[in-house]
Amino acid sequence: MGERKVLNKYIPADFDPRLVPRLKKSKDELIPVRMMLPFSIQCSSCSSFMYRGRKFNSKKEPVKGEKGKYLGIQRFRFYIKCTVCSRPVTFLTDPQNADYEMESGATRNYEVHKDKERADEDVAAERAAEEKEDPMKALENRVLASQREMQEMDSLEEIRALNMKHRQMMSGGAGGGGGVAASAGAAGGSGGDVSAILDSREAAKARAAAQEEELTETGLTESEEAMVKSIKFGASSSSGKSSIPSADGNPAPVIHRLDDDDEKELDERRKREEALLEQQQRALVEKTEAAAEAKSRMPMIKVKRKRKEQPVQSSRSTEESKKAKVEMNDNSDSDPAAAGGLGGLLGGYGSSDDSD
């Protein structure tokens, strides 16, 4: 027993470490690991629950393939067995989410805090994107945050003032009459501050309550009810105006509330207008049809233009006229005077003997 606790051990002179045989372990060999469940699970075979923190003698191996590493970080697979039916259950490490991932053999139980964290992250990301796109929205969010902070500071100050007042009352009651006087004298400045703070808070609450108008029995506020009462309802007149003068001196119109008689009158007026319109349309159609019928009854008169008749000459008169023309031509050729006169008249034009 003493040898295993000493720092130096005896090494013989003829010891050669190269002669010590080394065991070769395969890379695919499972490594035993004592671990606890990182989350609660339910077995898929026997439906038994195994809760977070349950200890197991698990086997660990590195994950191979495309999903074996995330950003250079090796992922591992763990093997355990169900405590009831001994079914193998496997789960993996998840470096991306700093968590574990269920693989097979069981189902992971629902965890509320996981959904809450995920929802908070989604809301924060959506709000950041909205503020980045809309500067006015970012300004509104900052203003709301500052107002919320101021309200929290006021509430905290009120709580501190109430606690201080409570301590003063307790110390005064425990110390009797002299203790009350001593505590009042010791807390002269602070007591005034506490009362001032409480009075200011009560005054602010009273102002807020006074500003909020309460609803009456009719479901309206006092101002709305007063406005309704100020409206004057009256019977309709021929002029449509009342004798009550308005603010500018002119008679204000009377608000007339419709009843059953008014609705009947409106219906009758609408019916009369519809009948008048139908009568006008019917008269227009009848007028168009009468015009078309009169046009069809009119007789059709056609006027033809006569040509002038030329006198027809007989064949005998034609021959006599031809003979007369021939005799006239013969007489003109046989008359020398007429021929000389015509030749002398035409001889002065275009002769070749004339000089320039």
Side-chain angles (χ1 to χ4, degrees), residues 153-339:
M153 292 296 294
D154 293 342
S155 301
L156 182 60
E157 189 176 359
E158 183 181 3
I159 293 171
R160 288 176 179 173
L162 290 173
N163 292 338
M164 188 179 295
K165 188 174 182 179
H166 183 67
R167 284 197 300 269
Q168 290 175 4
M169 293 174 63
M170 293 298 292
S171 60
V180 172
S183 62
S190 62
D193 296 340
V194 172
S195 61
I197 291 170
L198 295 177
D199 293 341
S200 63
R201 296 289 293 178
E202 291 178 359
K205 290 181 180 179
R207 287 195 300 271
Q211 290 177 359
E212 293 180 358
E213 298 185 4
E214 297 182 357
L215 298 178
T216 59
E217 296 178 354
T218 58
L220 302 174
T221 60
E222 294 181 358
S223 60
E224 293 174 349
E225 192 171 358
M227 183 182 67
V228 171
K229 289 180 179 179
S230 64
I231 298 174
K232 304 297 183 182
F233 294 96
S236 60
S237 59
S238 59
S239 61
K241 297 189 177 179
S242 67
S243 59
I244 302 173
S246 61
D248 56 356
N250 299 325
V254 176
I255 299 176
H256 178 62
R257 181 174 293 169
L258 297 177
D259 52 5
D260 296 340
D261 297 337
D262 296 330
E263 291 181 357
K264 291 180 181 178
E265 185 179 356
L266 290 174
D267 292 339
E268 292 176 358
R269 187 185 304 172
R270 192 180 300 108
K271 290 179 180 178
R272 288 196 299 269
E273 291 177 356
E274 291 178 356
L276 180 60
L277 182 60
E278 290 179 359
Q279 186 177 0
Q280 292 177 356
Q281 291 179 353
R282 194 180 301 109
L284 181 61
V285 171
E286 291 177 356
K287 186 177 179 181
T288 306
E289 291 178 354
E293 186 177 357
K295 187 176 180 180
S296 62
R297 290 179 180 178
M298 290 177 64
M300 299 296 291
I301 301 174
K302 295 184 179 180
V303 179
K304 293 185 177 180
R305 187 176 181 181
K306 292 184 178 181
R307 296 182 180 181
K308 294 181 180 181
E309 296 180 356
Q310 296 180 0
V312 181
Q313 297 180 358
S314 62
S315 58
R316 183 177 181 182
S317 59
T318 305
E319 293 177 357
E320 291 178 356
S321 62
K322 288 182 178 180
K323 289 180 179 180
K325 288 182 181 179
V326 171
E327 289 176 356
M328 289 176 64
N329 292 332
D330 294 341
N331 293 332
S332 62
D333 293 339
S334 62
D335 192 359

Side-chain angles (χ1 to χ4, degrees), residues 85-142:
C85 63
S86 299
R87 173 173 179 168
V89 178
T90 60
F91 55 90
L92 308 173
T93 56
D94 188 6
Q96 182 178 0
N97 300 318
D99 198 5
Y100 289 86
E101 177 185 353
M102 193 69 210
E103 186 178 20
S104 65
T107 56
R108 185 172 180 173
N109 294 347
Y110 175 72
E111 297 175 353
V112 180
H113 65 278
K114 290 290 183 182
D115 288 351
K116 183 178 181 300
E117 293 175 358
R118 192 180 300 106
D120 294 341
E121 292 176 358
D122 295 343
V123 169
E126 184 178 357
R127 184 174 181 180
E130 188 177 7
E131 291 180 354
K132 186 177 180 180
E133 294 176 359
D134 191 358
M136 292 301 297
K137 189 66 176 180
L139 180 61
E140 291 177 2
N141 292 336
R142 287 198 295 270

